[in-house]
Amino acid sequence: MTTQLIYGGAGILLFVIGLGSVLTRPGLWRRLIAINVMGSGVFQILVAVAYRGTAVPPDPVPHALVLTGIVVAVSATALALAFGQRLEDEDD
Amino acid sequence: MPRPGLSLLMPLVLMAFAAVLGWAFWLALTGQDGERLAGIALAQVPLSGVSNPVTAVLLNYRAYDTLLELGVLLSALLGIWSLGPAPPGFAPAALVFRGLVVLVVPALILVGGYMLWVGAHAPGGAFQGGALLAAAGVMLALSGRERAGLPAEAGLRVVVSLGVVVFVLVGLGLMLVGSGFLHYPLGIAKWLILAIETAATLAIGATLAAAYLGGLPRSRPRATRRS
């Protein structure tokens, strides 16, 4: 239980740090990184929820959600990076 | 720039939000008496065709999610391609890095294949294998190969859509024999999952590597030039 609370609490902290950065800081790249930090926090919370002690295997459903989420996050980030790059090229 | 009042208010709002989230998390950990999905998911694993529960969830119980996820990956790549050709590649690598690439890329491909196979009964699977293949492509791009080891455009289009296509074909084929979209019959579930995962591994690896290039790979590569 303590392990879960520390791990999940750190995930919540990451999520809130990222959220604060998204809401208050200027700059596209910084916000993109902040959104990824938020996502990492969410994954960490899901992994903490899946943990059921060392004696039994973890809950596979949140694990599968995390795997799915990572792939979606990576592809969304790649698309955002390409859009951002294009915007910068247009500005020049 | 944040206004002065906002810079004071924001941390307070965020702390309150974190407190609410922490409270919800605490309730989720302590307050549950109902049946969790873990028990049901683990009990059904012997019927899923694989023995790794995470793969069973991804490719059997929630196969529809995984199909749509491959669709997300493909549409992100199409979005990137719609922006035009990739920016110019990196300079050809120097001697030491080239030697490293020659060593590491075959190893990455080998480990990617192993990951795909081992996913049936231990942590691993299509996404892990695909990520390793993509890493091999990124290394090739960094060492100056403008196409990151990807095939020419016609072939590339086939490879990146392979995951979705095979997934849908398997689903439709199962409908034809009367067992519903992506409801695998017990006997051949393992082989159907393996076929889908193999296609998905190739598609994920190619898609991520192509996304890394940041645009359509240049159509006239200096292919004849030896690195």
Side-chain angles (χ1 to χ4, degrees):
Chain A
M1 180 60 76
T2 320
T3 320
Q4 260 173 311
L5 278 178
I6 293 173
Y7 204 78
I12 292 174
L13 201 65
L14 275 180
F15 181 83
V16 174
I17 289 172
L19 182 66
S21 205
V22 168
L23 291 178
T24 58
R25 304 288 172 163
L28 186 65
W29 304 128
R30 191 196 281 255
R31 285 186 177 172
L32 195 55
I33 294 170
I35 288 175
N36 272 291
V37 171
M38 286 172 74
S40 306
V42 173
F43 298 148
Q44 205 165 324
I45 296 167
L46 278 174
V47 170
V49 168
Y51 179 77
R52 302 189 302 159
T54 48
V56 277
D59 188 340
V61 181
H63 270 220
L65 283 178
V66 171
L67 263 178
T68 309
I70 289 172
V71 175
V72 172
V74 166
S75 41
T77 306
L79 185 59
L81 282 172
F83 281 157
Q85 185 68 46
R86 184 61 179 261
L87 277 175
E88 276 197 349
D89 292 347
E90 300 275 308
D91 286 346
D92 291 344
Chain B
M1 282 287 109
R3 291 185 296 277
L6 192 67
S7 65
L8 194 68
L9 186 64
M10 205 61 206
L12 292 175
V13 171
L14 288 177
M15 274 194 277
F17 190 53
V20 172
L21 284 180
W23 180 62
F25 182 60
W26 168 257
L27 284 186
L29 290 191
T30 57
Q32 49 170 341
D33 288 323
E35 192 173 11
R36 286 185 58 166
L37 280 176
I40 310 168
L42 291 171
Q44 298 288 327
V45 164
L47 301 178
S48 70
V50 290
S51 56
N52 175 14
V54 178
T55 305
V57 173
L58 277 175
L59 268 304
N60 198 328
Y61 315 148
R62 306 201 58 84
Y64 203 62
D65 280 9
T66 308
L67 167 61
L68 294 181
E69 175 189 0
L70 291 173
V72 168
L73 207 58
L74 185 59
S75 31
L77 183 67
L78 293 179
I80 291 170
W81 279 358
S82 72
L83 295 174
F90 294 82
L95 183 64
V96 175
F97 186 46
R98 206 160 62 216
L100 186 69
V101 167
V102 167
L103 280 179
V104 169
V105 167
L108 280 171
I109 294 172
L110 191 67
V111 178
Y114 170 74
M115 273 289 169
L116 165 67
W117 179 254
V118 86
H121 55 86
F127 293 107
Q128 292 86 336
L132 286 167
L133 289 186
V138 169
M139 279 203 79
L140 287 175
L142 287 176
S143 73
R145 287 170 176 79
E146 275 184 336
R147 306 188 54 87
L150 295 167
E153 191 178 332
L156 184 58
R157 286 182 188 274
V158 171
V159 174
V160 295
S161 53
L162 201 59
V164 177
V165 168
V166 170
F167 224 130
V168 170
L169 283 183
V170 168
L172 292 179
L174 288 172
M175 281 174 87
L176 278 184
V177 300
S179 69
F181 190 71
L182 294 175
H183 283 261
Y184 312 122
L186 186 54
I188 53 168
K190 176 186 170 140
W191 301 107
L192 291 178
I193 288 178
L194 190 63
I196 292 171
E197 282 210 297
T198 308
T201 304
L202 292 173
I204 291 166
T207 308
L208 291 179
Y212 178 80
L213 292 179
L216 263 180
R218 311 190 147 237
S219 49
R220 274 177 286 116
R222 281 166 276 168
T224 49
R225 206 187 43 154
R226 170 81 182 83
S227 61

